[in-house]
């Protein structure tokens, strides 16, 4: 992309390098003085030595790749990662109904939506030690919204998600990241649908109770008459 992630990594002391095929994005990175080069992600990884990187990250590239290429990318990332290294892949979240049925297809270079269960399966299948799905970019207000509407269920699920997978490392390194892997992130379709259904059931119960009260009063009035 334009290099925001590379800037953040550099600020944290990482020797961050980026590759992209988009000349516009690369120019934006050059203007920021970032380490970048024009390259295909998979081809670039194949040139690197085993165990030479601590993080491999790809933001919104997975949905642009044929599935076979995505599989190779996950395999090559594992090869070049150090023990305890991280693979991060972010992509649009098709659990968000509005994303999965509409906005995803605005970009004609997208291949197909990738469900979180499928993308997280790849590192698990290819031998990463652990994997976490982070749902991202949802409205913070929806976490505590007391009156969910149907529209919230349709378009309120986290519109993006990331899969973060870690290779096997030493016990100290694995332990220090335990809190991050144990935490929950974002809003799933199941979460919002369950909350909406719970509120709907409460409303229906209240309506039924009021209807029963009205019926009982009507019966009493008829009996007195």
């Amino acid at each position: 992309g334009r290099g925001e992630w590379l800037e953040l990594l550099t600020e944290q002391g990482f020797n961050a390098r980026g590759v992209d095929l988009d000349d516009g994005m690369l120019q934006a990175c050059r203007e920021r003085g970032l380490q970048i080069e024009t390259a295909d992600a998979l081809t670039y990884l194949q040139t690197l030595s085993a165990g030479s990187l601590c993080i491999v990250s790809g933001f919104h590239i997975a949905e642009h790749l044929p599935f076979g290429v995505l599989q190779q990318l996950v395999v090559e990332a594992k090869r070049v990662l150090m023990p305890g290294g991280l693979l991060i892949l972010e992509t649009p979240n098709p659990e968000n109904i509005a994303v999965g049925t509409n906005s995803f297809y605005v970009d004609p270079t997208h291949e197909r939506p990738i469900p979180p269960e499928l993308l997280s399966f790849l590192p698990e299948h290819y031998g990463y030690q652990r994997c976490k799905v982070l749902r991202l970019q949802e409205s913070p207000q929806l976490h505590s919204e007391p009156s969910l509407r149907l529209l919230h269920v349709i378009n309120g699920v986290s519109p993006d998600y990331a899969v973060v997978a870690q290779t096997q490392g030493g016990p100290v390194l694995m332990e220090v990241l335990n809190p991050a892997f144990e935490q929950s992130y974002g809003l799933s379709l199941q979460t919002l649908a369950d909350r909406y259904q719970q509120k709907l059931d409460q409303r229906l119960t209240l309506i039924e109770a009021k209807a029963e009260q009205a019926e009982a009063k009507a019966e009493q009035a008829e009996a007195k008459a």
Side-chain angles (χ1 to χ4, degrees):
R2 291 179 295 271
E4 295 92 340
W5 177 235
L6 292 179
E7 284 187 320
L8 288 171
L9 290 175
T10 302
E11 289 170 3
Q12 296 300 317
F14 289 91
N15 178 25
R17 292 171 285 157
V19 299
D20 206 309
L21 291 172
D22 188 311
D23 288 332
M25 297 295 185
L26 290 167
Q27 182 58 35
C29 291
R30 291 189 184 99
E31 292 172 357
R32 297 179 177 189
L34 300 170
Q35 296 187 72
I36 49 89
E37 62 181 271
T38 304
D40 170 79
L42 178 58
T43 302
Y44 180 78
L45 285 178
Q46 291 170 338
T47 67
L48 301 179
S49 301
S52 59
L53 300 179
C54 58
I55 298 173
V56 173
S57 58
F59 295 91
H60 290 264
I61 65 170
E63 67 274 13
H64 294 270
L65 302 176
F67 190 70
V69 176
L70 181 57
Q71 289 177 281
Q72 294 179 62
L73 183 68
V74 172
V75 172
E76 279 300 305
K78 183 173 184 289
R79 182 186 67 82
V80 302
L81 282 171
M82 301 173 182
L86 298 174
L87 170 64
I88 305 171
L89 294 174
E90 182 182 326
T91 188
N93 184 9
E95 292 179 321
N96 183 307
I97 297 172
V99 171
T101 62
N102 184 37
S103 63
F104 182 88
Y105 300 97
V106 172
D107 187 342
T109 66
H110 284 175
E111 286 278 328
R112 62 183 63 82
I114 308 172
E117 294 84 357
L118 177 58
L119 189 55
S120 61
F121 169 78
L122 288 180
E124 292 171 356
H125 177 71
Y126 288 115
Y128 288 73
Q129 181 63 21
R130 57 183 174 181
C131 184
K132 183 73 177 182
V133 173
L134 285 69
R135 293 173 176 85
L136 306 166
Q137 318 296 359
E138 73 281 352
S139 170
Q141 288 78 12
L142 282 182
H143 286 274
S144 56
E145 173 59 53
S147 301
L148 286 179
R149 297 182 295 161
L150 180 59
L151 188 61
H152 291 139
V153 179
I154 294 173
N155 66 13
V157 174
S158 303
D160 298 311
Y161 74 92
V163 164
V164 179
Q166 187 177 24
T167 61
Q168 178 62 55
V172 174
L173 180 57
M174 302 302 285
E175 183 179 352
V176 76
L177 289 179
N178 281 343
F181 276 88
E182 292 168 357
Q183 186 176 337
S184 296
Y185 302 87
L187 291 172
S188 69
L189 178 59
Q190 187 69 55
T191 297
L192 282 184
D194 285 347
R195 285 173 52 193
Y196 175 79
Q197 186 63 48
Q198 182 180 18
K199 290 295 182 181
L200 181 61
D201 290 343
Q202 291 173 353
R203 294 190 191 103
L204 290 176
T205 299
L206 182 60
I207 291 171
E208 289 173 354
K210 289 183 177 180
E212 290 175 357
Q213 291 175 1
E215 184 178 354
K217 289 181 179 179
E219 290 177 352
Q220 292 174 0
E222 183 178 350
K224 291 180 180 178

